[in-house]
Amino acid sequence: KAGVTQTPRYLIKTRGQQVTLSCSPISGHRSVSWYQQTPGQGLQFLFEYFSETQRNKGNFPGRFSGRQFSNSRSEMNVSTLELGDSALYLCASSLVITKLYGYTFGSGTRLTVV
Amino acid sequence: QQPVQSPQAVILREGEDAVINCSSSKALYSVHWYRQKHGEAPVFLMILLKGGEQKGHEKISASFNEKKQQSSLYLTASQLSYSGTYFCGTETQGGSEKLVFGKGTKLTVNP
């Protein structure tokens, strides 16, 4: 079966712009989480969606937002980009919100802000 | 609260053993372990639940010490394919709690 698909794979944006990243989970998976990965910081939790509702949110500024659609696809948006937003953004899906079967991660979107 | 992993990095020769630790200052419900190879997505290894048994398969196993709020990942007779960065993720409650990851442990296995 198809894995978690993230688009685009790479993005280069200018400070002040906004960006939208997309994630299509494994078919049947209803929970989608987003993480920011930077060298030395590991995976920083952004938010988690289940059945179109945001269930958890990390400690990121309001410039970071997301949503989930009825088909479980999810998008995250970053407005007013800053240089420090440069990172690999990973999306992870799970069958249910309890995560008992673990996450399946996508390959990520590499965002570079210049 | 981000769990703390140790060591930050370890270098082994093929066939040697390694232990990676993950500790939390909060009471834990579950601990997840993932491995990420360079340029690839993290891959789920196993989950340990509060009150559950030690888990493992082949030469990679893990334990969960509820009293210490600590989990350890054991890699025995390491193979070149074990190289990568290992992350532990923790939940402090069951159900819909968010999964918080540590900063990772980079494991390098040399011939």
Side-chain angles (χ1 to χ4, degrees):
Chain A
K1 57 182 177 181
V4 177
T5 303
Q6 290 189 246
T7 56
R9 288 295 308 275
Y10 302 93
L11 267 178
I12 299 176
K13 290 286 187 178
T14 305
R15 270 182 304 175
Q17 287 186 313
Q18 75 165 18
V19 66
T20 299
L21 313 181
S22 178
C23 170
S24 293
I26 289 176
S27 178
H29 282 198
R30 296 170 60 194
S31 177
V32 173
S33 296
W34 289 88
Y35 288 86
Q36 181 194 66
Q37 185 173 29
T38 54
Q41 292 302 311
L43 300 159
Q44 299 291 308
F45 175 77
L46 282 157
F47 22 67
E48 178 176 30
Y49 289 88
F50 181 77
S51 294
E52 302 178 63
T53 301
Q54 186 179 91
R55 297 301 180 101
N56 291 296
K57 191 176 189 307
N59 298 321
F60 278 81
R63 299 185 296 107
F64 291 80
S65 63
R67 59 178 175 170
Q68 186 181 35
F69 302 94
S70 58
N71 61 357
S72 294
R73 190 177 73 84
S74 177
E75 288 181 348
M76 68 163 280
N77 184 276
V78 188
S79 62
T80 319
L81 283 166
E82 300 178 358
L83 295 178
D85 296 334
S86 294
L88 179 67
Y89 290 88
L90 291 165
C91 162
S93 76
S94 61
L95 185 63
V96 292
I97 199 165
T98 56
K99 309 176 198 59
L100 289 178
Y101 307 106
Y103 278 149
T104 301
F105 279 87
S107 297
T109 294
R110 173 76 62 184
L111 172 65
T112 302
V113 183
V114 298
Chain B
Q1 191 78 12
Q2 188 174 36
V4 177
Q5 289 187 234
S6 63
Q8 290 183 317
V10 59
I11 299 175
L12 301 172
R13 288 202 179 276
E14 221 174 348
E16 292 182 335
D17 301 340
V19 180
I20 299 172
N21 297 306
C22 173
S23 63
S24 173
S25 59
K26 291 189 173 184
L28 297 177
Y29 169 77
S30 74
V31 179
H32 296 223
W33 287 97
Y34 288 77
R35 177 173 62 206
Q36 184 178 31
K37 294 179 180 283
H38 183 68
E40 299 181 8
V43 173
F44 175 68
L45 294 176
M46 65 188 78
I47 178 175
L48 297 101
L49 297 175
K50 178 180 177 180
E53 300 176 353
Q54 179 167 341
K55 289 229 173 199
H57 53 89
E58 296 182 350
K59 297 174 182 175
I60 300 177
S61 62
S63 63
F64 181 13
N65 186 324
E66 292 175 37
K67 288 184 179 179
K68 293 185 177 180
Q69 304 308 322
Q70 183 178 68
S71 177
S72 295
L73 184 71
Y74 306 94
L75 301 105
T76 57
S78 59
Q79 305 169 15
L80 296 177
S81 61
Y82 287 3
S83 292
T85 300
Y86 290 77
F87 293 98
C88 71
T90 58
E91 292 177 282
T92 55
Q93 299 177 39
S96 59
E97 178 71 8
K98 63 185 177 184
L99 188 63
V100 181
F101 286 95
K103 293 185 179 182
T105 296
K106 185 175 181 180
L107 176 74
T108 304
V109 181
N110 293 319

